């Protein structure tokens, strides 16, 4: 003002109230024009994002593990499928999977994929949930054809033959 009794308007600085060059919500010092960056930004004019894996006003290193995403403002980790915890350093508990550690639907001792929940059946079982036995005359993890003869029964797990009366062999 005429009597130097009014501060420069917001976004201006110095003698004559020149426009500030601060970006991304940074505050501008009304005397020097220096920028104070908001969280997640850096550089003289706060025009460069913090590098990947860093966050906050000082671009501090994130503590996220196992491919988790780090929020560039507050450093909170978003875990990838199969992981949990504040730093995503703990696997989902046994029998769970995915980004929310949902319950698996695997049966009969099958293992559950931590990422997508698919089941890997134990020998003698099949189906998406491993709830169906291998068909008669087959065995193992892929329900392969048995080679038993003369009415012998086939073990669903290892394919060994149990001979009928009057027959022998493996």
């Amino acid at each position: 003002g005429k009597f130097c009794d009014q501060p420069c308007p917001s976004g201006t600085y110095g003698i004559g109230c020149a426009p500030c060059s601060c970006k991304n919500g940074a505050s501008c010092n009304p005397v020097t024009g220096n920028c104070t960056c908001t969280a997640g930004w850096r550089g003289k004019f706060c025009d460069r994002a913090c590098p990947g894996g860093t966050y906050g006003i000082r671009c501090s290193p994130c503590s996220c593990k196992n491919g988790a995403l780090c929020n560039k403002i507050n450093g909170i980790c978003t875990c990838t499928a199969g992981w949990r915890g504040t730093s995503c350093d703990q696997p989902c508990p046994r029998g769970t999977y995915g980004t929310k550690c949902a319950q698996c639907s695997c049966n009969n001792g099958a293992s559950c994929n931590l990422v997508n929940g698919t089941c890997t059946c134990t020998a003698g079982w099949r189906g998406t949930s491993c709830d169906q036995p291998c068909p008669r005359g087959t065995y193992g993890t892929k329900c392969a054809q048995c080679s038993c003869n003369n009415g012998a029964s086939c073990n669903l797990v290892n394919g060994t033959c149990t001979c009928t009366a009057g027959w022998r062999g493996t």
Side-chain angles (χ1 to χ4, degrees):
K2 181 177 177 183
F3 300 106
C4 301
D5 60 346
Q6 297 174 19
C8 286
S10 179
T12 63
Y13 76 100
I15 298 173
C17 298
C20 290
S21 299
C22 302
K23 307 285 184 210
N24 299 302
S27 60
C28 176
N29 182 297
V31 176
T32 64
N34 290 340
C35 302
T36 301
C37 299
T38 55
W41 297 96
R42 65 185 179 131
K44 183 176 180 179
F45 302 114
C46 304
D47 55 348
R48 294 183 296 149
C50 285
T54 65
Y55 75 99
I57 292 173
R58 293 183 178 83
C59 297
S60 303
C62 290
S63 64
C64 304
K65 307 286 185 218
N66 298 303
L69 296 176
C70 176
N71 182 300
K72 72 177 185 171
I73 302 210
N74 58 24
I76 292 175
C77 303
T78 301
C79 299
T80 54
W83 297 96
R84 64 185 176 125
T86 55
S87 296
C88 304
D89 57 350
Q90 302 166 34
C92 283
R94 184 175 175 86
T96 65
Y97 74 98
T99 56
K100 296 183 179 175
C101 296
Q103 191 66 40
C104 289
S105 63
C106 304
N107 296 296
N108 298 303
S111 61
C112 177
N113 182 294
L114 280 174
V115 175
N116 60 24
T118 57
C119 303
T120 302
C121 300
T122 54
W125 296 95
R126 65 186 176 117
T128 56
S129 297
C130 303
D131 55 351
Q132 303 165 22
C134 285
R136 185 174 175 88
T138 64
Y139 75 99
T141 56
K142 299 193 189 299
C143 296
Q145 191 65 44
C146 287
S147 57
C148 299
N149 297 308
N150 299 306
S153 62
C154 177
N155 181 295
L156 284 175
V157 175
N158 60 23
T160 58
C161 302
T162 302
C163 299
T164 55
W167 298 94
R168 66 181 183 141
T170 53

